[in-house]
Amino acid sequence: MFARVKKSGNNQYLQIVENRRENGRVSQRVITTLGRLDQMSEKGEVESLIRSLSRFSERTLLILSDKSNVSASAKKIGPPLIFERLWKELEIGSIVSSLVTDRKFGFSVERALFMTVLHRLFVSGSDRGCERWRRDYRIAGTEDIALHQLYRAMAFLGEEISDQDDRTHAPRCTKDVIEERMFDHRKNLFTELDFVFLDTTALYFEGEGGKTIGERGHSKDHRPDLNQMVVGALLDDRGKPIACEMWPGNTADVTSTIPVVTRLKKRFGANRFCIVADRGMISQATMLALEEEKLSYILGVRMRLVKEVKTEVLADETPYEEVYPEGIHSKEPSSLKVKEVVVDGTRYIVCKNERQARRDEADRNTIVESLKEKIAKAPSSLISNKGYRGFLTITNKSVTLDEEKVKADAKYDGIWVLTTNTKLRAREVALKYKELWMVEHTFRDMKSAIDTRPIFHKRDETIRGHVFCSFLALVLKKELDDRLVSQGLQLEWADIKQDLKALQEVILEENGSKLAIRTECQNTCGKVFKAIGVAVPPTIRAVQP
């Protein structure tokens, strides 16, 4: 049965017609003629008739016009769909749920934490804005979660547990159990935890910073007036985050290394691994302690401060071994040459980047020319400039350019020096250390793209939970990055965020009937869905009441 228009003279009539089969042939029979089409359209009778008939349809039908009484609401669906899948496949949700089975929180801790982590990925900033931010996103199971429940969920992550074996500067907490179970979930994907990359950063507080965590210390943010905490991130040699450690703000990097490494071995059952750390993190005393513990290490050396490096290692004339030649394209590996120098039983690896060496030389030449001009015009202005002082000789009567200092600086062009007690070849040591830059990139993520600050929390438990949510956000982002790379995709995080947030679903409702209409996938969005294995929702779908 269907509607048709029948022309008669100068007029058109709207009819209801049915098809019938008679004697093997299909014929049409007019059920009724509803009236002249122009008159019905003018009075709105066609729309009224269709709207009336739609009430008897088992499927959702919306008849839209300027007379419709339709409500519409839009929600972002891209971010929840992608990161919900990663959250489940990494079993973070199931691990959290298993830890709260005997607790009576009165709300879903797992849902509260997922919402917090997703907020940290896409908006960051204070947790106070998370509750309002949720309004624009369709995140299953979070509709009734309030701000104080988000705080309770974070406090749960930072709660001290009964097992305090191998505690370091901080107690063992729920978040440590989650890290260990996450590691157990994926450890069958590789055999040994051979290399562990360690780096630290400091995060300052807007308030006191809890009872024991917030302390004054060396501020890398140049905020010595504020209490801070020290956060250490540990990654495996694939760049995957393993754990994050949190200490009071007055804890020095060098005093935290040995306890963390020892604890790490026991927590993750690592029989052997090599600690890789940046310049300045490790003192001579710490290196001796590593040797006593029979732990392997690859450490950066402050070559301008270590006497034997300046006088013997850099003066060594052993030819370099080429690891990577200079490339033409930016995506090719950076130029790298290495050589091994042993001084009094200590093994050093000297690394050189020829392109960086030319850049360093050009920068120094620019500084020298600028100094010559300033010395001629206003030499007194250079006295307080620490950046220039390294090339000057300053006395009570004069400021002069020191050619010997300029010449001595040239030996550092494009050079970085490592020390190690491993038996790896020089090129392998250099390449492993270069992977430490993944850790530094992770910290840039933590302090910018996934901004852990500002931290307003007042309790130690909530502070630890707040930081751990940033760590979980890094875990999800790294997993996304790895899956994109496996598909041959190199996408900018800013583009991914923008395109996923642009994917929305609009709900239209009229007289109890609902239809969902999805917006178009733009730019990187479809590629991300395909890489993660998530089906894009249909363009139009009925929403069940």
Side-chain angles (χ1 to χ4, degrees):
M1 190 175 296
F2 59 95
R4 78 175 184 186
V5 174
K6 179 70 174 180
K7 188 172 183 180
S8 177
N10 294 327
N11 298 318
Q12 292 180 318
Y13 294 87
L14 185 62
Q15 298 178 333
I16 302 297
V17 182
E18 71 170 354
N19 286 330
R20 296 184 1 170
R21 183 176 292 275
E22 295 179 349
N23 301 323
R25 298 180 63 183
V26 176
S27 62
Q28 294 182 346
R29 182 174 73 89
V30 177
I31 302 297
T32 186
T33 299
L34 299 173
R36 280 175 51 178
L37 183 60
D38 57 339
Q39 293 176 350
M40 294 182 68
S41 298
E42 184 179 348
K43 296 178 181 179
E45 292 176 346
V46 174
E47 178 189 332
S48 297
L49 178 62
I50 295 173
R51 192 182 301 279
S52 178
L53 290 171
S54 70
R55 293 185 293 112
F56 303 100
S57 174
E58 294 182 357
R59 295 187 178 183
T60 301
L61 295 174
L62 293 182
I63 314 302
L64 304 180
S65 71
D66 57 351
K67 298 180 181 179
S68 301
N69 184 23
V70 176
S71 65
S73 62
K75 300 281 188 180
K76 295 177 174 64
I77 61 173
L81 286 172
I82 292 300
F83 287 98
E84 182 83 65
R85 173 64 63 86
L86 297 177
W87 181 265
K88 289 180 178 178
E89 292 186 355
L90 294 174
E91 292 199 359
I92 302 174
S94 60
I95 292 171
V96 171
S97 297
S98 69
L99 293 174
V100 297
T101 51
D102 297 329
R103 305 283 292 271
K104 296 181 180 180
F105 280 95
F107 66 97
S108 174
V109 173
E110 183 270 335
R111 289 289 81 195
L113 292 177
F114 175 71
M115 184 172 79
T116 302
V117 170
L118 192 67
H119 174 253
R120 203 68 57 82
L121 275 165
F122 280 83
V123 179
S124 185
S126 171
D127 295 315
R128 296 174 183 175
C130 183
E131 186 181 23
R132 296 187 300 273
W133 164 86
R134 174 197 52 200
R135 178 195 62 189
D136 299 327
Y137 288 76
R138 178 163 291 117
I139 309 172
T142 65
E143 296 80 7
D144 299 322
I145 293 178
L147 179 61
H148 73 277
Q149 293 171 328
L150 298 181
Y151 289 166
R152 286 182 61 196
M154 281 186 278
F156 165 71
L157 295 176
E159 282 181 1
E160 295 187 26
I161 60 176
S162 57
D163 177 12
Q164 290 297 319
D165 290 345
D166 308 314
R167 66 177 288 166
T168 56
H169 301 282
R172 277 180 55 79
C173 305
T174 305
K175 70 98 183 167
D176 295 294
V177 179
I178 295 173
E179 289 169 345
E180 289 155 13
R181 293 191 183 182
M182 287 171 59
F183 181 83
D184 288 340
H185 168 64
R186 63 183 179 89
K187 72 177 181 180
N188 60 337
L189 301 179
F190 54 93
T191 54
E192 292 284 347
L193 190 60
D194 292 330
F195 289 87
V196 175
F197 299 91
L198 170 66
D199 202 356
T200 63
T201 190
L203 303 174
Y204 63 79
F205 297 97
E206 298 296 339
E208 292 298 318
K211 184 178 180 180
T212 63
I213 295 179
E215 297 286 351
R216 301 288 174 88
H218 174 67
S219 175
K220 298 178 181 179
D221 294 304
H222 308 291
R223 294 300 306 268
D225 57 314
L226 297 177
N227 285 347
Q228 66 176 17
M229 67 184 297
V230 178
V231 180
L234 298 107
L235 279 72
D236 65 19
D237 57 0
R238 298 184 180 190
K240 291 184 179 294
I242 303 170
C244 69
E245 296 282 348
M246 307 172 206
W247 312 297
N250 57 0
T251 306
D253 290 340
V254 294
T255 61
S256 60
T257 305
I258 295 298
V260 169
V261 172
T262 304
R263 180 183 179 190
L264 191 67
K265 287 185 67 177
K266 295 181 179 179
R267 285 183 64 193
F268 300 108
N271 295 322
R272 61 183 181 87
F273 64 80
C274 177
I275 185 76
V276 184
D278 199 3
R279 290 183 288 261
M281 274 197 61
I282 309 297
S283 67
Q284 186 64 36
T286 305
M287 289 173 59
L288 292 174
L290 288 171
E291 296 279 5
E292 291 177 0
E293 294 286 336
K294 297 182 179 180
L295 296 171
S296 300
Y297 59 79
I298 298 173
L299 308 174
V301 176
R302 290 181 172 178
M303 55 186 180
R304 295 175 184 266
L305 300 180
V306 180
K307 182 179 180 180
E308 65 183 23
V309 172
K310 292 193 296 183
T311 59
E312 299 183 56
V313 175
L314 295 182
D316 185 87
E317 298 181 355
T318 303
Y320 284 96
E321 171 194 357
E322 187 172 69
V323 180
Y324 292 130
E326 280 198 62
I328 300 175
H329 304 291
S330 60
K331 292 184 178 181
E332 294 180 321
S334 300
S335 164
L336 179 61
K337 296 180 178 179
V338 299
K339 66 179 178 180
E340 178 178 333
V341 180
V342 179
V343 178
D344 295 333
T346 301
R347 188 180 178 212
Y348 293 99
I349 308 298
V350 184
C351 311
K352 186 171 185 179
N353 181 329
E354 292 288 359
R355 182 173 295 171
Q356 183 63 44
R358 291 194 298 272
R359 190 178 298 120
D360 291 345
E361 181 182 10
D363 291 344
R364 184 174 55 256
N365 291 339
T366 300
I367 292 174
V368 169
E369 291 303 316
S370 176
L371 283 173
K372 289 179 179 178
E373 292 181 9
K374 292 181 181 296
I375 289 173
K377 295 180 180 179
S380 60
S381 65
L382 300 173
I383 295 176
S384 61
N385 192 312
K386 295 182 180 180
Y388 288 155
R389 199 177 296 170
F391 297 135
L392 300 174
T393 296
I394 301 174
T395 65
N396 293 333
K397 298 181 179 180
S398 66
V399 177
T400 58
L401 183 67
D402 193 323
E403 297 291 349
E404 289 299 320
K405 290 182 179 179
V406 173
K407 183 179 178 180
D409 187 74
K411 66 183 178 182
Y412 300 109
D413 289 350
I415 296 291
W416 36 289
V417 180
L418 310 174
T419 183
T420 181
N421 62 351
T422 68
K423 295 181 180 180
L424 296 173
R425 292 187 300 164
R427 61 186 295 140
E428 294 173 332
V429 172
L431 292 176
K432 283 298 178 186
Y433 185 80
K434 285 188 71 174
E435 292 177 14
L436 177 63
W437 296 340
M438 293 185 301
V439 182
E440 294 174 346
H441 179 73
T442 296
F443 276 109
R444 285 196 295 272
D445 280 347
M446 180 177 282
K447 298 179 75 172
S448 57
I450 306 172
D451 198 344
T452 306
R453 301 168 298 179
I455 302 177
F456 293 99
H457 300 292
K458 299 178 181 180
R459 297 172 54 203
D460 288 356
E461 296 87 350
T462 317
I463 291 169
R464 287 191 287 260
H466 174 97
V467 175
F468 187 65
C469 284
S470 287
F471 176 80
L472 291 177
L474 291 171
V475 170
L476 294 181
K477 183 176 180 294
K478 174 59 179 174
E479 187 67 21
L480 173 63
D481 291 341
D482 288 348
R483 297 197 187 190
L484 291 173
V485 170
S486 69
Q487 298 294 316
L489 299 172
Q490 291 186 338
L491 307 178
E492 293 292 334
W493 174 235
D495 294 336
I496 293 173
K497 288 200 298 182
Q498 180 176 354
D499 296 339
L500 286 180
K501 287 190 290 186
L503 186 67
Q504 299 188 52
E505 198 170 60
V506 181
I507 303 294
L508 302 177
E509 181 176 4
E510 184 183 38
N511 297 327
S513 297
K514 294 183 181 181
L515 273 182
I517 302 175
R518 173 185 56 79
T519 60
E520 182 181 359
C521 282
Q522 300 183 35
N523 301 322
T524 65
C525 183
K527 297 176 182 178
V528 173
F529 269 79
K530 183 178 180 180
I532 304 304
V534 177
V536 178
T539 305
I540 299 177
R541 65 180 179 88
V543 179
Q544 299 301 321

